[in-house]
Amino acid sequence: CGNSMQAGIFSDDTSFYFPFCHGFSVRGKQSWSTDRVNKFNYLTEEFAPEDLVNMGLQYAFSGKKIREEVYGAFKRLVKDAKKEDLTIVANSTFRTYDYQENLYTSYKNNNGKEYADNYAARAGYSEHQTGLAIDVSTLNSTMANFEETEEFEWLQEHAHEYGFILRYPKDKEFITGYNYESWHYRYVGEKVAKEIKELNITFDEYYAYYLAN
């Protein structure tokens, strides 16, 4: 990752000064699996993980890619959920800088800047560009109702066992900077995921307390 990761803020948006979100480097005392990208820590336009792999259709929508280690963990998760007759599929994974730029612009044009900044990251500021984030869904679900599914309940109990956390929990917007997203899961590795689960804190808090330089 190296120099492709930078620290910065949106100079035109002072309302973004959330606790735990800024003041630290993207990578602290940890491995790439706990790199932190948020509204203040960003990736350069050319950044792309070197270990991206294609995901099979039994695990993701067509054309999706993710980092190899993350894919292995996600496959185990999906297979174990399937044993309980639950279907979990990745609908959004790695995104390029250009893709995120177009997505943010679409949100902004259709709903305004405030809405866009609450629900979509600006280009370079999206975890999806790291290859560590996965948006999931199940049969007959949407982003709006995924938290009402059995699959969501199962993930709440078991996601950490595979190294994943719910990245933007409910009622934590003032810490994460983003509205609640029941579908957005982030790979941090089993050890860190278990600790975040036990401590009942966000990744931003965990990073500030345990990983920042």
Side-chain angles (χ1 to χ4, degrees):
C1 299
N3 293 331
S4 292
M5 294 192 173
Q6 307 290 337
I9 60 172
F10 301 148
S11 59
D12 60 329
D13 288 307
T14 56
S15 62
F16 279 152
Y17 285 84
F18 298 99
F20 305 106
C21 280
H22 60 95
F24 307 108
S25 63
V26 173
R27 175 167 294 172
K29 297 175 289 186
Q30 79 280 5
S31 69
W32 57 264
S33 63
T34 47
D35 283 342
R36 189 181 64 150
V37 174
N38 58 19
K39 290 178 186 282
F40 296 88
N41 299 281
Y42 66 93
L43 300 165
T44 58
E45 185 173 357
E46 67 274 11
F47 175 83
E50 297 178 353
D51 57 343
L52 291 172
V53 294
N54 293 315
M55 301 179 74
L57 292 178
Q58 65 269 49
Y59 303 106
F61 288 8
S62 178
K64 301 305 177 186
K65 295 182 178 182
I66 201 69
R67 298 184 78 151
E68 187 173 11
E69 181 178 321
V70 182
Y71 187 34
F74 187 70
K75 287 194 291 185
R76 293 193 300 273
L77 182 155
V78 170
K79 289 177 180 178
D80 287 349
K82 199 69 175 178
K83 294 175 184 177
E84 301 186 31
D85 295 322
L86 300 174
T87 299
I88 297 173
V89 61
N91 62 63
S92 184
T93 52
F94 169 73
R95 298 175 186 169
T96 64
Y97 183 100
D98 288 343
Y99 179 100
Q100 193 66 31
E101 187 170 43
N102 291 334
L103 180 65
Y104 177 84
T105 299
S106 175
Y107 272 65
K108 181 179 177 180
N109 290 343
N110 292 328
N111 301 286
K113 187 167 74 68
E114 182 177 356
Y115 180 93
D117 283 328
N118 283 330
Y119 287 96
R122 301 185 186 189
Y125 292 85
S126 171
E127 279 197 330
H128 283 284
Q129 194 179 342
T130 68
L132 299 170
I134 298 179
D135 290 349
V136 300
S137 58
T138 187
L139 302 175
N140 302 316
S141 78
T142 65
M143 291 189 297
N145 65 11
F146 181 70
E147 70 171 324
E148 301 171 6
T149 67
E150 293 182 9
E151 283 78 1
F152 172 75
E153 294 298 328
W154 187 89
L155 285 168
Q156 289 294 94
E157 292 294 325
H158 300 288
H160 67 284
E161 298 169 7
Y162 307 88
F164 292 93
I165 60 168
L166 180 65
R167 181 63 178 90
Y168 305 119
K170 186 177 290 185
D171 300 324
K172 298 293 185 177
E173 292 85 352
F174 71 102
I175 294 175
T176 66
Y178 286 103
N179 283 3
Y180 169 54
E181 294 187 355
S182 62
W183 60 88
H184 183 111
Y185 289 82
R186 160 66 194 266
Y187 183 78
V188 293
E190 292 180 23
K191 177 180 179 294
V192 173
K194 180 181 179 181
E195 292 173 348
I196 289 175
K197 174 75 172 178
E198 291 175 347
L199 293 168
N200 191 30
I201 58 177
T202 66
F203 178 60
D204 296 284
E205 292 169 287
Y206 184 87
Y207 190 99
Y209 295 147
Y210 302 107
L211 300 177
N213 289 324

